[in-house]
Amino acid sequence: MFSRYAQLVLLVCPLLAAASALRVHHRLFHPSLPAAPFAERATLQLSGSGPATVAHLVLSETYADDLRDFAATAEGLKDALYQVALEHSADQDQTQWATSSVLACHLPSSTSESFTVHLDQNGNPFSLDYFVGPVPRDGACPKRGRKASAGSSPAQFRPIVNTTVVLRSPTFPPLPALRVPPPITAEGKPVEPPKEKSFLEKYWMYAVIALVALTFAPSPAEEESGGRGRGSGGGR
Amino acid sequence: MRLFILSLLAACAQALHSYEAGVTDWHKPFAGVPLLHSDSTSPVFHRSKREDGQSSSVVLSATQSNVLAAYHSVNGSLAWRHLFEDDDNIIAFEKDKDVVATLSGPGGAHFRIFDSTAGYLLSETRLHDPASGRLQEPESLGTNVAFGSEEKEENIFVLTNGHTLRRLDRRTGEVRWGWTAPDQTSLVVYSKIRVMPSTVYLLGLTKSFASYTLHITSLSPETGEVINSGDYPSSITSGLSEVFILSDVNNPDTNPQIVWLEEGAIKSFRLTPDLKSKFSVVKGAVYKTIEDVGLSEHGQFVATTDDGSGRVVKLTPEGLKVIWEFSDSATSPQRSGSIYSGGVDVAGFPYIARVFWMHSLRLASAHVFAAHLAEGKGLVTGFTFPFKTGEHGVIRHVAVEAANPEPYRVLARLALTTSTGAVQMWQQDQLQWSREEGLADIRVAELVELPEPKIASHSDRDQETFSARVARQLLDAKDFPQYAVNFVRRFVTGSYASVSASVAPSANTSEPLSRDAFGFRKVIVAATSHGKLYGIDSANGEILWSRVFGLGWAAQVGGQIVPVKMFVTRTVIDGDSPQVVVVTQRKANNGLVDTVIFHVDALTGDDARDKSQSVDVLQGEDIVSGPLVEAYLLRTEAGRAVVCLDEFLQVHVYPGNDEATHALEKILPSLRIPLRTGPPGQRRLTGHQVPQQVEFTGKHIAYPTWSLPFPPTEDIRAIFARPSGPVASFGKVLGNRTTLYKYLNPNLVGVVTGPPSTAPPSDSAACSIYLVDGGKGTIIYHTVLPSVAGACDVKAALVENWLVYHYYDNEVGVNQAKGHRVVSVELYEGYGVDDKRRSSELSSLSNETTAVSVYEQAYIFPRGIRTLTPTSTSYGITVKDIIVANENNQIQSFPRRFLDPRRPKQKPTAEEAEEWLIQYDPVLPDDSKRVLSHNYQVAKTRRIITSPALLESTSLVFAYGLDLFFTRVAPSNTFDVLSESFNKPQLVITIAGLALAIAVAKPIVARKRLRERWYN
């Protein structure tokens, strides 16, 4: 059996009200079918506030049954869509809800699903993205094998165990990194940076050491200096 | 830093050169289509005396583009124009001698005086807070300007807000006195002023149960004290258009009279300061309308009798008298209704012109009446003029100026405004000039490529015999020496086509349209909201052809064609002459809206459907009987087709032939259409797919698959998509040899949202920018921007993986200041370098579409902008600059390198320097060398279109709004053309020298070798 409390991912959500609930609905949709109303799929429990907001997806009692019904309905229908909707707190009109769709044919082979709830700047959810995975790169329906029989299809829509819920807040545009004004003193004058020391000021000690070394160094022997003089003369 | 200076130097090298100004670009200034709904703003002649005693005439007009303009009557050039701010609508102007006074803003909040010959703003006065201005319907109601009479000509009397009269100084605009009606809450709205030497009369209407009652107040012009005031028993049903005050400047002793129409009778009332006199009635006929033709100060107006005949009525000391009836002016199926207009000559005598269209002769006719001629008996001179109704629609307004060079001879000049927005000057039956002011209101435009020039060929070459061919070729061979000389000269001197030369054709225009060597010359096809389609030569801005949109069945009831989209359905690459489809909405005057498609040849303007002659109006095809929701261009194997979605989401395809239908059916399963749905204020983005099956109507009906509502405080303001240009590289190789792969989701659309227009303005309202996957509704990027007092002014452009947006930030944060900002955002695949996801071919259903890493940086922008657009080139290799129309009425380019979101905050490392990244600087340099429009004033630009040339390095830029401006830019310099300064002779001489050296050295070497063999 799968866990009724799906494993979750949390995201920074500073403004979200603590412990509020959102209802997520679902249905199977195909243009040739009469438009079915959405059925409740889960409740999104949000607890905590700020960075610690945690979202729990509490599945509804009828979830597994609904899936079984959907599987039966989707049988033989090409391009049937599995739609997930976020209930609008102020609007009972289902056409006004945020709706996200995936191809129903991807559901049987899916091993993970993800919900992304988008929040506005005040932390109120307004939209929902729903994905199942894995989905082939071209998004095409998997080709049905010869062995797949009609009888086994109702079991194909199994609830997906690996569910991720992400809350996403809008970003704000980056701010231009302005140049910092020069620091000023209490009198309002710009602080003058300390003047860089001159070469002598910095390295006088080495010069002194060198000078001392030269001064106190034993004077070279007479012959040696004479020899050097000859050598140079020979060079010419 | 050194690198930064270097880059700046490089930037200077790419700037506009003075020798290119006016050669590679052109600019057409316009004033806009004249406002005709009110006499106080419609075109009028104005003659002012110059210092040398001569007088010059201009046509003054306030326009729909909110411009006050003066055209020279002689040649139609723009003498001057004054651009009013968008929230400061011109509601009235009045001329006198050397000045023009205007009232603008709600209730006439601003008063300005201009010099009438040069357009200098002499004074500007704010009469009241625009927020307290009363909005009237029509806008000009409750406002008026009158100049003081002869002795008091330094005064101007200004009526604003329907109840405030001020006397202002003509020179300084200083207020001398002001009078406000004591009971402002009453239903009296004053609307007219008449200044007499001793009294100022104010005429207003009081609203009573079913009609209006006259209300008159007389004031002292010196002090502004009320002399008398009161209601006068009258029952006026048509409002102020049929009430006016008559006086006679040539006969100042005559008391002015108020004239109005009441139940078919012209009634008048003599104005005296004490307002005590009885009204009188003009007898003799039942009148339908009375019309002030602009001669109320000369005591004349036109009354139309029950059968449509026009009569001139004059104010005389004895009262009102009918002095003339225009012959054959009764309503008739032979001719259109008459337009009456009044004007004066140099001496100040009044003339009244009657202009009408004769259906049988297909000519326009004008009758000009002069009451003072023929010894005071009145004289009418008539002429017909060949007005081209197929090209300019119908005449909407006439202004007249007349001259009387000798007795019994009247010369009239007519300034016509047509329904297509043209302003024309006719002197008798000669067209003096014509201005296409409708071009100030372009709705959609496209740049269309031209075919290659055709080489002269003998058409009968296939049939000619062998001997004839030999003879012809021998004959042709006589030109060979000249050809050879030319070839050598061209080869040596290198006089090839230059990229900085004009591509305009020479004076003889007999050659068919063809492109130049580099593809700089194109046809700009533009459709205006005044029902006209133009083909404009991009080389010089000349109009090549123009067509008037036909109204179809709505011609019976009248209507308007509003262009919505334009698509190039056939290009020269397809082999034949290019074609353009314009998708329009026809709003008939009976309230029905239809979607009509017009299909033309872009080179000639001919109807590509062959349904209408080129001299006639262009007939369209009604593709949808109802409004259009969205239209797209579909590129299929069978060519290009236009797909329209109606309000029931039915899919219509044009052309409706089998090829297009089959091509559509083939790509139906892959179509994902995001549409704006929902009522205004709660608009959302809804994704649609189209099923393979058709409904019983024979059409496919799209069905919604996903829905993206925005937060309740936001409504969709704009949707922008990525231009469908080629992408040269799918990644960016960094300095450290890793690669960032561009996020190139083909379904990406941008959405700008803002507070609903219905919501009260509040500072907490926010604007947002979204990047949405249009195939599934996934939000890829969402950022919230501050609004300015509840208004959003966000401009954004998306190209490849690069989003640039501009906004005004009025929030002052820590180390931040208010100002215009531009944010540059780049999207890359995956979550880091070398994370390749092949997003360009990824299905929207895959979760990997959300795997995006965002690089963004903000810069301070020098000023506000009207629109921005990236450059485009034929292969997308050249760097993309951003072209901006700024608030200073300039078109300016901003290099991509300054807007790169990866500019390092510190000194660039060797690796970053290798990528040519320059150090971050918060302020984008406002480089005047990059103002593409140099000294032109490119006013009120609404959109900029960029289009590739044949040269990869060059992008063509066309800006339209009030003015038209065209230029070309080379963001990475013209790397694919030899520079102008390239020394070709030197190269030739070097090669020739080397060849000579080889020729000399070769026998020497051969001899040497031979000798070596012989002796070794």
Side-chain angles (χ1 to χ4, degrees):
Chain A
M1 275 303 285
F2 62 96
S3 158
R4 290 196 62 181
Y5 290 93
Q7 187 49 51
L8 306 169
V9 168
L10 54 114
L11 230 115
V12 180
C13 172
L15 293 163
L16 199 84
S20 57
L22 294 168
R23 283 200 287 185
V24 176
H25 298 253
H26 66 162
R27 73 171 177 190
L28 192 88
F29 175 85
H30 192 270
S32 67
L33 295 176
F38 280 103
E40 187 172 330
R41 180 188 152 151
T43 312
L44 198 63
Q45 294 284 359
L46 305 172
S47 52
S49 66
T53 307
V54 178
H56 294 272
L57 202 63
V58 184
L59 297 172
S60 79
E61 306 264 320
T62 57
Y63 175 50
D65 297 339
D66 287 343
L67 277 189
R68 209 170 300 126
D69 292 348
F70 294 162
T73 320
E75 181 61 27
L77 283 178
K78 205 181 157 208
D79 297 338
L81 296 172
Y82 175 66
Q83 293 188 323
V84 174
L86 184 70
E87 184 179 316
H88 196 285
S89 52
D91 206 337
Q92 288 306 307
D93 183 1
Q94 298 193 343
T95 59
Q96 300 297 311
W97 294 351
T99 315
S100 187
S101 307
V102 293
L103 278 173
C105 62
H106 289 149
L107 284 184
S109 58
S110 295
T111 55
S112 67
E113 61 179 356
S114 70
F115 291 86
T116 309
V117 178
H118 293 275
L119 310 170
D120 66 8
Q121 55 169 341
N122 303 320
N124 300 317
F126 69 92
S127 178
L128 170 85
D129 289 333
Y130 175 72
F131 284 99
V132 292
V135 168
R137 295 189 56 79
D138 61 353
C141 282
K143 283 183 182 144
R144 301 187 67 176
R146 283 180 197 166
K147 287 177 184 173
S149 62
S152 65
S153 57
Q156 283 180 344
F157 280 22
R158 282 185 302 274
I160 297 163
V161 183
N162 186 6
T163 303
T164 332
V165 182
V166 177
L167 301 173
R168 183 165 291 170
S169 298
T171 59
F172 291 92
L175 295 171
L178 297 186
R179 286 184 215 122
V180 184
I184 47 171
T185 60
E187 293 90 50
K189 290 177 183 166
V191 177
E192 298 214 346
K195 273 189 181 172
E196 203 179 332
K197 289 176 182 171
S198 66
F199 183 80
L200 265 184
E201 280 171 329
K202 269 186 194 169
Y203 304 111
W204 62 270
M205 56 203 28
Y206 303 106
V208 167
I209 290 168
L211 212 67
V212 167
L214 281 177
T215 317
F216 294 101
S219 52
E222 285 290 316
E223 305 92 298
E224 220 173 289
S225 73
R228 194 180 292 162
R230 276 198 303 276
S232 68
R236 272 181 201 196
Chain B
M1 191 61 203
R2 202 176 303 147
L3 202 69
F4 182 72
I5 293 166
L6 264 178
S7 72
L8 271 181
L9 284 175
C12 296
Q14 287 168 22
L16 183 75
H17 299 283
S18 63
Y19 60 81
E20 289 173 339
V23 178
T24 60
D25 56 25
W26 52 262
H27 171 238
K28 300 271 167 194
F30 289 98
V33 178
L35 279 170
L36 304 176
H37 59 79
S38 155
D39 287 341
S40 53
T41 53
S42 47
V44 63
F45 278 95
H46 177 60
R47 188 168 279 279
S48 53
K49 286 215 169 71
R50 291 203 301 260
E51 283 168 3
D52 57 2
Q54 296 288 312
S55 65
S56 63
S57 166
V58 291
V59 178
L60 290 170
S61 172
T63 70
Q64 295 176 15
S65 305
N66 212 16
V67 173
L68 181 71
Y71 312 111
H72 288 296
S73 300
V74 178
N75 54 18
S77 62
L78 209 53
W80 54 270
R81 63 176 182 180
H82 184 85
L83 312 171
F84 283 71
E85 296 288 322
D86 291 341
D87 56 352
D88 189 26
N89 287 341
I90 308 174
I91 52 179
F93 74 86
E94 194 66 41
K95 67 199 167 58
D96 186 56
K97 296 194 175 74
D98 56 345
V99 294
V100 184
T102 64
L103 273 179
S104 57
H110 298 110
F111 176 74
R112 294 182 182 87
I113 304 173
F114 298 91
D115 178 90
S116 69
T117 47
Y120 301 131
L121 179 62
L122 302 176
S123 79
E124 186 174 39
T125 313
R126 193 170 106 148
L127 299 178
H128 60 251
D129 181 7
S132 68
R134 288 191 189 177
L135 289 171
Q136 307 277 7
E137 187 57 44
E139 218 176 5
S140 57
L141 189 70
T143 59
N144 203 351
V145 179
F147 289 90
S149 53
E150 291 294 323
E151 304 92 61
K152 305 203 167 49
E153 65 173 6
E154 77 277 7
N155 296 332
I156 300 180
F157 295 86
V158 180
L159 172 69
T160 55
N161 250 351
H163 60 256
T164 305
L165 181 71
R166 290 182 181 86
R167 194 185 109 179
L168 285 88
D169 187 281
R170 181 184 180 127
R171 303 274 158 234
T172 61
E174 194 186 327
V175 178
R176 291 288 162 82
W177 54 256
W179 170 85
T180 303
D183 186 11
Q184 294 168 30
T185 55
S186 78
L187 299 165
V188 180
V189 175
Y190 290 103
S191 275
K192 304 218 167 166
I193 315 170
R194 181 52 46 103
V195 183
M196 299 309 288
S198 59
T199 325
V200 178
Y201 296 103
L202 271 184
L203 168 64
L205 292 182
T206 310
K207 192 157 174 49
S208 55
F209 179 62
S211 60
Y212 299 96
T213 311
L214 283 176
H215 186 94
I216 304 159
T217 301
S218 57
L219 298 103
S220 156
E222 294 303 323
T223 58
E225 282 173 6
V226 175
I227 301 170
N228 215 328
S229 181
D231 276 333
Y232 292 87
S234 50
S235 167
I236 296 162
T237 48
S238 56
L240 267 169
S241 61
E242 290 186 320
V243 184
F244 36 84
I245 308 174
L246 282 186
S247 59
D248 194 348
V249 283
N250 298 332
N251 198 357
D253 298 335
T254 313
N255 272 332
Q257 294 212 2
I258 291 183
V259 183
W260 73 95
L261 188 72
E262 190 176 319
E263 291 169 353
I266 299 173
K267 294 190 176 177
S268 65
F269 174 88
R270 191 183 296 271
L271 281 177
T272 51
D274 56 1
L275 303 175
K276 282 178 183 157
S277 62
K278 285 186 174 176
F279 70 83
S280 54
V281 182
V282 178
K283 288 169 187 151
V286 176
Y287 291 95
K288 206 160 60 179
T289 56
I290 58 169
E291 191 181 343
D292 177 8
V293 290
L295 294 176
S296 63
E297 288 189 7
H298 294 83
Q300 293 184 11
F301 67 95
V302 173
T304 316
T305 60
D306 226 9
D307 65 348
S309 300
R311 290 180 173 189
V312 179
V313 185
K314 189 170 190 265
L315 174 72
T316 62
E318 296 82 42
L320 295 176
K321 264 190 187 165
V322 176
I323 57 166
W324 194 266
E325 179 170 323
F326 284 101
S327 58
D328 293 334
S329 57
T331 310
S332 156
Q334 305 287 320
R335 54 182 173 260
S336 71
S338 303
I339 300 173
Y340 295 97
S341 178
V344 292
D345 62 8
V346 183
F349 287 108
Y351 296 77
I352 293 181
R354 166 188 168 227
V355 176
F356 57 97
W357 175 256
M358 294 183 292
H359 296 302
S360 49
L361 298 173
R362 295 190 67 77
L363 285 173
S365 183
H367 292 174
V368 182
F369 168 72
H372 64 286
L373 294 181
E375 286 118 25
K377 290 180 201 144
L379 176 77
V380 160
T381 45
F383 58 91
T384 58
F385 56 99
F387 176 76
K388 287 183 181 163
T389 190
E391 221 172 278
H392 301 292
V394 296
I395 301 170
R396 283 280 156 80
H397 182 267
V398 178
V400 64
E401 186 186 52
N404 181 22
E406 51 196 78
Y408 296 101
R409 183 153 177 247
V410 173
L411 282 178
R413 272 209 286 211
L414 305 175
L416 309 182
T417 307
T418 74
S419 59
T420 60
V423 178
Q424 294 189 328
M425 178 70 76
W426 291 84
Q427 183 157 344
Q428 299 290 92
D429 57 350
Q430 295 296 315
L431 178 65
Q432 301 292 305
W433 49 263
S434 181
R435 289 181 65 90
E436 293 289 347
E437 289 294 343
L439 285 172
D441 212 356
I442 292 178
R443 285 300 160 106
V444 287
E446 283 288 340
L447 271 74
V448 183
E449 212 175 308
L450 287 171
E452 278 185 83
K454 282 197 182 108
I455 298 156
S457 62
H458 295 269
S459 55
D460 55 350
R461 198 168 274 186
D462 294 339
Q463 285 93 37
E464 70 182 350
T465 59
F466 176 74
S467 59
R469 187 188 299 172
V470 170
R472 178 175 58 77
Q473 285 172 346
L474 280 175
L475 213 62
D476 287 353
K478 77 175 191 311
D479 297 333
F480 178 75
Q482 199 192 348
Y483 170 80
V485 168
N486 274 343
F487 177 81
V488 171
R489 186 187 298 148
R490 200 164 51 116
F491 181 76
V492 173
T493 59
S495 61
Y496 296 107
S498 161
V499 278
S500 58
S502 168
V503 292
S506 53
N508 68 1
T509 49
S510 59
E511 297 167 15
L513 272 180
S514 60
R515 69 163 168 78
D516 60 304
F518 302 123
F520 293 155
R521 192 177 178 207
K522 291 195 172 188
V523 173
I524 301 164
V525 182
T528 70
S529 54
H530 299 279
K532 201 167 174 184
L533 185 69
Y534 297 85
I536 301 167
D537 189 344
S538 84
N540 52 15
E542 296 301 317
I543 295 170
L544 297 167
W545 52 264
S546 65
R547 297 301 299 266
V548 176
F549 293 130
L551 285 170
W553 63 259
Q556 304 296 324
V557 291
Q560 195 196 357
I561 300 259
V562 183
V564 182
K565 291 231 167 166
M566 185 183 284
F567 303 108
V568 181
T569 51
R570 196 165 78 187
T571 63
V572 283
I573 301 159
D574 300 329
D576 217 331
S577 65
Q579 292 184 345
V580 166
V581 161
V582 190
V583 184
T584 64
Q585 299 266 66
R586 179 181 57 214
K587 293 177 178 162
N589 287 351
N590 60 6
L592 292 178
V593 179
D594 291 314
T595 304
V596 186
I597 274 184
F598 294 91
H599 190 179
V600 295
D601 184 308
L603 303 184
T604 58
D606 289 342
D607 189 352
R609 297 165 56 245
D610 282 334
K611 292 279 161 67
S612 42
Q613 297 294 316
S614 57
V615 290
D616 224 342
V617 294
L618 184 68
Q619 292 302 336
E621 179 177 323
D622 292 20
I623 188 160
V624 182
S625 307
L628 176 81
V629 172
E630 198 53 87
Y632 300 93
L633 182 70
L634 205 64
R635 289 184 176 84
T636 64
E637 293 158 2
R640 301 177 184 202
V642 177
V643 171
C644 298
L645 283 158
D646 66 10
E647 54 186 337
F648 305 108
L649 298 176
Q650 293 193 99
V651 181
H652 304 259
V653 61
Y654 178 88
N657 56 23
D658 290 343
E659 270 182 25
T661 318
H662 285 310
L664 172 72
E665 272 170 11
K666 231 184 235 178
I667 63 158
L668 272 185
S670 59
L671 274 190
R672 301 285 183 273
I673 308 168
L675 291 176
R676 221 188 290 213
T677 55
Q682 308 163 19
R683 275 177 293 203
R684 53 183 46 232
L685 208 61
T686 309
H688 291 84
Q689 282 182 28
V690 186
Q692 291 260 305
Q693 297 77 29
V694 290
E695 295 294 318
F696 63 93
T697 53
K699 303 270 179 216
H700 299 275
I701 296 184
Y703 58 90
T705 54
W706 53 263
S707 173
L708 173 59
F710 294 101
T713 54
E714 294 177 17
D715 190 19
I716 299 180
R717 290 294 175 93
I719 295 181
F720 53 98
R722 210 165 54 185
S724 59
V727 179
S729 71
F730 288 81
K732 179 177 245 176
V733 181
L734 309 186
N736 57 9
R737 302 294 175 269
T738 54
T739 307
L740 278 173
Y741 290 95
K742 290 179 184 172
Y743 183 75
L744 297 168
N745 184 343
N747 297 319
L748 207 61
V749 287
V751 182
V752 178
T753 62
S757 48
T758 48
S762 84
D763 283 331
S764 64
C767 319
S768 289
I769 284 195
Y770 298 82
L771 288 182
V772 178
D773 182 320
K776 195 177 174 295
T778 315
I779 297 175
I780 308 289
Y781 176 82
H782 175 195
T783 192
V784 178
L785 309 174
S787 69
V788 182
C792 282
D793 190 17
V794 180
K795 307 283 186 313
L798 179 67
V799 60
E800 292 190 3
N801 63 331
W802 188 29
L803 169 74
V804 185
Y805 57 87
H806 175 281
Y807 69 100
Y808 180 76
D809 197 334
N810 63 345
E811 287 173 8
V812 185
V814 181
N815 287 336
Q816 291 297 328
K818 292 181 179 183
H820 295 281
R821 306 264 170 84
V822 66
V823 180
S824 171
V825 185
E826 272 187 336
L827 307 176
Y828 289 101
E829 290 178 6
Y831 299 109
V833 292
D834 288 337
D835 192 355
K836 191 176 180 182
R837 309 275 176 128
R838 288 189 291 162
S839 55
S840 57
E841 50 200 56
L842 196 64
S843 159
S844 292
L845 292 167
S846 169
N847 205 355
E848 285 191 29
T849 53
T850 58
V852 179
S853 45
V854 175
Y855 292 79
E856 52 186 0
Q857 232 159 39
Y859 299 94
I860 293 168
F861 205 75
R863 54 179 64 86
I865 62 167
R866 286 179 173 273
T867 181
L868 82 169
T869 198
T871 57
S872 66
T873 54
S874 39
Y875 300 103
I877 300 166
T878 305
V879 167
K880 288 181 170 56
D881 281 359
I882 295 291
I883 313 284
V884 159
N886 69 26
E887 281 180 343
N888 286 8
N889 297 323
Q890 293 169 326
I891 308 293
Q892 196 171 9
S893 88
F894 283 86
R896 149 86 205 180
R897 288 186 61 202
F898 288 115
L899 288 166
D900 196 315
R902 291 179 56 252
R903 278 172 72 174
K905 288 277 163 71
Q906 68 296 328
K907 204 177 158 197
T909 61
E911 283 179 356
E912 285 163 341
E914 204 176 322
E915 285 183 60
W916 286 96
L917 289 173
I918 46 177
Q919 187 173 351
Y920 176 83
D921 188 76
V923 182
L924 279 184
D926 182 16
D927 187 358
S928 55
K929 293 192 197 74
R930 292 186 165 274
V931 175
L932 306 176
S933 54
H934 45 96
N935 58 358
Y936 299 141
Q937 184 194 41
V938 186
K940 303 196 177 198
T941 303
R942 278 196 305 278
R943 202 180 148 211
I944 300 173
I945 302 178
T946 58
S947 172
L950 280 185
L951 274 189
E952 167 55 30
S953 61
T954 308
S955 173
L956 308 177
V957 177
F958 174 57
Y960 64 82
L962 178 63
D963 297 348
L964 306 184
F965 172 71
F966 184 91
T967 190
R968 47 193 194 235
V969 289
S972 312
N973 257 331
T974 46
F975 58 81
D976 43 4
V977 187
L978 280 181
S979 80
E980 305 267 309
S981 56
F982 180 75
N983 196 342
K984 179 111 185 238
Q986 192 181 19
L987 178 74
V988 172
I989 289 167
T990 311
I991 292 172
L994 286 172
L996 190 74
I998 290 170
V1000 170
K1002 205 173 177 183
I1004 298 174
V1005 171
R1007 264 203 303 277
K1008 197 181 170 193
R1009 284 226 179 109
L1010 183 66
R1011 200 177 298 146
E1012 277 170 359
R1013 287 216 186 143
W1014 195 253
Y1015 291 108
N1016 288 335

